[in-house]
Amino acid sequence: MDSSSDEITHNFPPFIKVYKDGHVERYQIWESAEAGHDPITGVQSKDVVIVPESGLKARIFIPKIDSGGQKLPLLIHYHGGGFCLGSAFGVRTKNFLTLLVSKAKIIAISIDYRLAPEHPLPIAYEDSWAALQWVATHCNGLGPEPWINDHADLGRVFLGGESAGANIAHYVAVQAGITQLVGLKVEGVLIVHPFFGGKEPDEMYKFLCPTSSGCDDDPKLNPTVDPNLNRIAGERTLVCVAEKDWLRDRGVAYYESLGKIGLAGGKVELFETMEEGHCFHMFNPNSEKAEPLIMKMIHFINQN
């Protein structure tokens, strides 16, 4: 009997393990949640297909709107999960964005980019950039999604994400600065507990992205070596870190790198949560320490 299917070739707890026959097993299965109406906040959500050819999808969240014709800021959200876990349709994403949308009075769209290793990086980056281009097709009010046509202010777009999603949000912000999408303006970028690399090779990232060294010479892992860093879109950036997060220092270094290229003077902010770990707010957005973090995000989006 062939036992090759039981042989593990790559093991990256608490994310994935890969067997010799190619099948992937995830250590965590994140519970999904249906779209629809949230009776507590009044937030509505629905799922849309962005790119039929690839199957790229997203979930849109919209708050209760009291008056017709009201245009709201739009947050484009990229979820975390090490590029290989998570979903725009998960319970954690829904709970967090429902809370943020209801309190900030914004529209949010969470992008369900394809996961590695079944879809090796940089596919997740390409999906995420394609999603922003899709949003830009609504600039004349004739795009495929009525909620964006009718209620989104594409002059006030924010890019944001946590962990791997923060890494992706940064990448998309740089692409937006290089490309200058017509009719769409990125006002700000929210980088929360970002996943960036260090000097030592990140073996999981290297496996998920076969074209990467997994080291800090890769601009996707180390933005400071990106020659286009100074072209990042957005008038301001909020970088959030957590004291007990093993990625904290990388987030601080990212904040400092933005300051060095001239995004200082109030245009780049650092917010640290003490005594908490990586992405704690996604596990319990109603916790005592999560509230100040979420309120900081809300203030960042709504400040003039």
Side-chain angles (χ1 to χ4, degrees):
M1 181 177 179
D2 184 10
S3 61
S4 63
S5 61
D6 296 328
E7 183 180 342
I8 297 172
T9 58
H10 298 86
N11 192 17
F12 304 110
F15 295 99
I16 59 170
K17 51 186 171 183
V18 184
Y19 292 85
K20 187 174 181 180
D21 65 0
H23 81 272
V24 178
E25 183 177 322
R26 285 170 168 81
Y27 281 94
Q28 306 173 47
I29 303 298
W30 292 6
E31 186 181 357
S32 61
E34 294 294 325
H37 175 257
D38 181 67
I40 298 175
T41 63
V43 170
Q44 295 272 4
S45 60
K46 67 177 176 179
D47 300 336
V48 295
V49 176
I50 292 178
V51 182
E53 294 80 8
S54 66
L56 178 61
K57 299 177 182 178
R59 176 166 289 178
I60 304 179
F61 298 79
I62 190 168
K64 183 179 180 181
I65 296 177
D66 298 322
S67 59
Q70 185 180 7
K71 295 284 188 175
L72 303 174
L74 174 65
L75 169 66
I76 301 175
H77 171 262
Y78 305 100
H79 68 81
F83 305 97
C84 58
L85 297 175
S87 169
F89 311 131
V91 170
R92 292 172 187 167
T93 301
K94 184 177 182 181
N95 289 344
F96 168 66
L97 287 180
T98 296
L99 180 63
L100 189 65
V101 163
S102 65
K103 288 185 175 293
K105 298 301 180 186
I106 60 173
I107 298 172
I109 177 169
S110 188
I111 310 306
D112 200 50
Y113 56 84
R114 288 172 287 176
L115 299 179
E118 294 89 343
H119 303 281
L121 296 173
I123 287 176
Y125 295 100
E126 294 164 355
D127 283 350
S128 300
W129 170 237
L132 184 63
Q133 293 175 298
W134 177 84
V135 170
T137 65
H138 297 77
C139 65
N140 58 2
L142 299 175
E145 175 44 52
W147 282 5
I148 298 178
N149 288 331
D150 297 340
H151 300 294
D153 181 354
L154 296 191
R156 295 199 64 197
V157 172
F158 293 82
L159 305 174
E162 67 281 342
S163 193
N167 177 302
I168 291 173
H170 162 77
Y171 170 84
V172 174
V174 172
Q175 301 310 306
I178 294 171
T179 306
Q180 299 289 322
L181 296 173
V182 176
L184 183 149
K185 179 183 178 182
V186 176
E187 182 174 326
V189 186
L190 290 85
I191 302 295
V192 182
H193 304 175
F195 174 86
F196 291 124
K199 292 182 179 180
E200 297 300 320
D202 186 310
E203 295 299 334
M204 187 178 86
Y205 189 91
K206 188 175 179 180
F207 172 72
L208 299 178
C209 184
T211 58
S212 174
S213 66
C215 298
D216 61 5
D217 61 347
D218 184 341
K220 291 186 178 68
L221 284 177
N222 180 17
T224 62
V225 301
D226 186 350
N228 292 313
L229 179 61
N230 63 349
R231 302 181 68 179
I232 187 171
E235 299 173 356
R236 46 201 171 88
T237 301
L238 174 63
V239 182
C240 301
V241 298
E243 181 187 22
K244 295 183 178 180
D245 183 0
W246 69 282
L247 293 167
R248 175 201 176 274
D249 291 347
R250 299 179 192 178
V252 173
Y254 175 76
Y255 159 76
E256 293 172 345
S257 70
L258 293 182
K260 290 177 182 177
I261 63 171
L263 293 181
K267 292 188 177 180
V268 55
E269 298 179 71
L270 181 69
F271 182 86
E272 181 168 9
T273 303
M274 306 305 292
E275 300 179 350
E276 289 289 356
H278 188 66
C279 291
F280 71 95
H281 63 294
M282 297 300 295
F283 298 94
N284 186 4
N286 293 303
S287 68
E288 180 182 352
K289 290 293 182 68
E291 183 178 2
L293 172 59
I294 292 173
M295 292 305 297
K296 181 64 178 180
M297 296 181 197
I298 292 169
H299 175 73
F300 176 78
I301 293 172
N302 288 327
Q303 71 185 60
N304 295 319

